[in-house]
Amino acid sequence: MHLVRPRDLDGVLDALAAHPGATLLAGGTDLMVEVNLQHRRPETVICLRRVEELRTFEPGFIGAGVTWARLEHGPIPALAELARTVGSPQIRAAGTLGGNLGTASPAGDGLTFLAAVDAHVVLASTTGRRTLPWSAFLVGPKRHARRDDEVILGVEVPDAAAWPQAFAKVGVRQAMVIAIVNCCVVRPADDDVRVAMGAVGPTVLRVPDAEAAVVGDPTPSAERLARFETLVRDGIAPITDHRATEAYRRHAAGVLARRTLERCLPG
Ligand SMILES: Cc1cc2nc3c(=O)[nH]c(=O)nc-3n(C[C@H](O)[C@H](O)[C@H](O)COP(=O)(O)OP(=O)(O)OC[C@H]3O[C@@H](n4cnc5c(N)ncnc54)[C@H](O)[C@@H]3O)c2cc1C
């Protein structure tokens, strides 16, 4: 295995241009599992650890190299809340938001937040930069729209720190677990409610019909909340796998989304 350790972003882009298809290594918490299981055998690995430009964390932009450990102490409540649920302290010290995007698991916890706030993914190569909405970047289970010569620089996000927001997930235990269902709800305004669900479709997804059922109503009635729960259950596309059945996922997703929304309502 050939290891390249650039000191800065230009070095990463040059290395990608020189080694098309090289594998990028951030925290290694997904990649090294794959290597250890012999699911991947990268010939050239470009290590991102020393690249300061990827660690920007400021209002409006989160660098790909920002770790869960930083996010859990950051100013964005739902992102901090979800970061605290990722793996163990060791995983959170190494794992990054960019790695969550690079893996593009339908269950990636960070991806629920990015979908809820309509984040844009910023990519760079020696030929320039481009920006894709999260929904154009995530194209299928563990598939994304990054070209071989590109690095994920980070995500553009709205300044969401003051919005009512919450994250929750269901797993087989409380910690160190891949979500059976996860959910992020944000309320930028009374007439704008966004619900993102993970592990219930080929990618993280939004549920527009359920969103429409509760916009404009900061104090929805029990009937309206029940309708919201039903629309979430019907608006997702879960599968049965070794973690849960489709039926369980639908039920859990509806309940989880309603409870998460309730945490975003006044009072
Ligand atoms: C024990 C354990 C528990 C875990 N728990 C959770 C959990 O609770 N929730 C959760 O969502 N995930 C969890 N994970 C998965 C993993 O920690 C996360 O997906 C993490 O965000 C990956 O980040 P990383 O920096 O380690 O990525 P890496 O492993 O370094 O990379 C992952 C993929 O992204 C690519 N990549 C990384 N950075 C970039 C970049 N800047 N540009 C382009 N491509 C890039 C890599 O090439 C690779 O394909 C867990 C993993 C383990 C081992």
Side-chain angles (χ1 to χ4, degrees):
M1 189 190 298
H2 174 51
L3 186 65
V4 186
R5 299 180 70 224
R7 287 184 179 280
D8 56 21
L9 184 60
D10 284 342
V12 174
L13 302 185
D14 290 345
L16 277 170
H19 305 280
T23 299
L24 295 163
L25 171 70
T29 61
D30 276 326
L31 182 64
M32 295 316 294
V33 173
E34 299 232 309
V35 170
N36 287 340
L37 293 173
Q38 304 198 342
H39 293 166
R40 276 172 85 169
R41 285 180 160 271
E43 277 180 20
T44 301
V45 172
I46 302 173
C47 180
L48 303 176
R49 282 270 182 100
R50 299 200 290 185
V51 183
E52 194 57 43
E53 293 100 316
L54 298 178
R55 289 200 281 268
T56 306
F57 184 14
E58 60 191 24
F61 189 82
I62 307 171
V66 175
T67 60
W68 301 116
R70 280 181 74 198
L71 293 169
E72 70 179 304
H73 299 295
I76 309 172
L79 195 50
E81 188 177 8
L82 80 83
R84 281 193 285 276
T85 76
V86 173
S88 60
Q90 293 88 340
I91 295 292
R92 296 198 289 276
T96 63
L97 188 61
N100 217 221
L101 275 164
T103 295
S105 162
D109 287 319
L111 307 183
T112 61
F113 173 80
L114 299 181
V117 300
D118 275 327
H120 283 63
V121 181
V122 185
L123 299 142
S125 71
T126 49
T127 58
R129 293 187 182 195
R130 65 183 180 127
T131 301
L132 294 176
W134 68 271
S135 52
F137 179 80
L138 299 169
V139 295
K142 301 206 167 182
R143 288 177 42 234
H144 51 64
R146 181 181 79 87
R147 295 195 315 254
D148 274 356
D149 64 338
E150 288 176 320
V151 63
I152 304 166
L153 279 188
V155 287
E156 291 174 353
V157 291
D159 192 358
W163 297 354
Q165 55 191 278
F167 168 84
K169 74 177 168 186
V170 172
V172 291
R173 57 186 182 206
Q174 285 292 332
M176 292 286 285
V177 74
I178 294 176
I180 289 173
V181 179
N182 48 11
C183 171
C184 183
V185 175
V186 299
R187 277 182 65 236
D190 284 352
D191 60 356
D192 189 2
V193 177
R194 307 184 194 163
V195 182
M197 307 295 304
V200 291
T203 66
V204 61
L205 50 81
R206 292 269 294 275
V207 197
D209 289 348
E211 291 172 357
V214 288
V215 290
D217 186 356
T219 52
S221 62
E223 290 74 25
R224 195 178 272 228
L225 288 170
R227 174 95 185 118
F228 171 80
E229 181 177 325
T230 302
L231 288 167
V232 169
R233 223 166 36 220
D234 294 346
I236 55 178
I239 56 166
T240 296
D241 64 11
H242 60 287
R243 288 197 187 90
T245 61
E246 178 202 332
Y248 178 79
R249 280 199 164 97
R250 275 195 199 280
H251 175 73
V255 173
L256 193 72
R258 177 177 50 75
R259 289 184 184 167
T260 310
L261 170 65
E262 283 171 343
R263 289 171 51 208
C264 299
L265 300 175

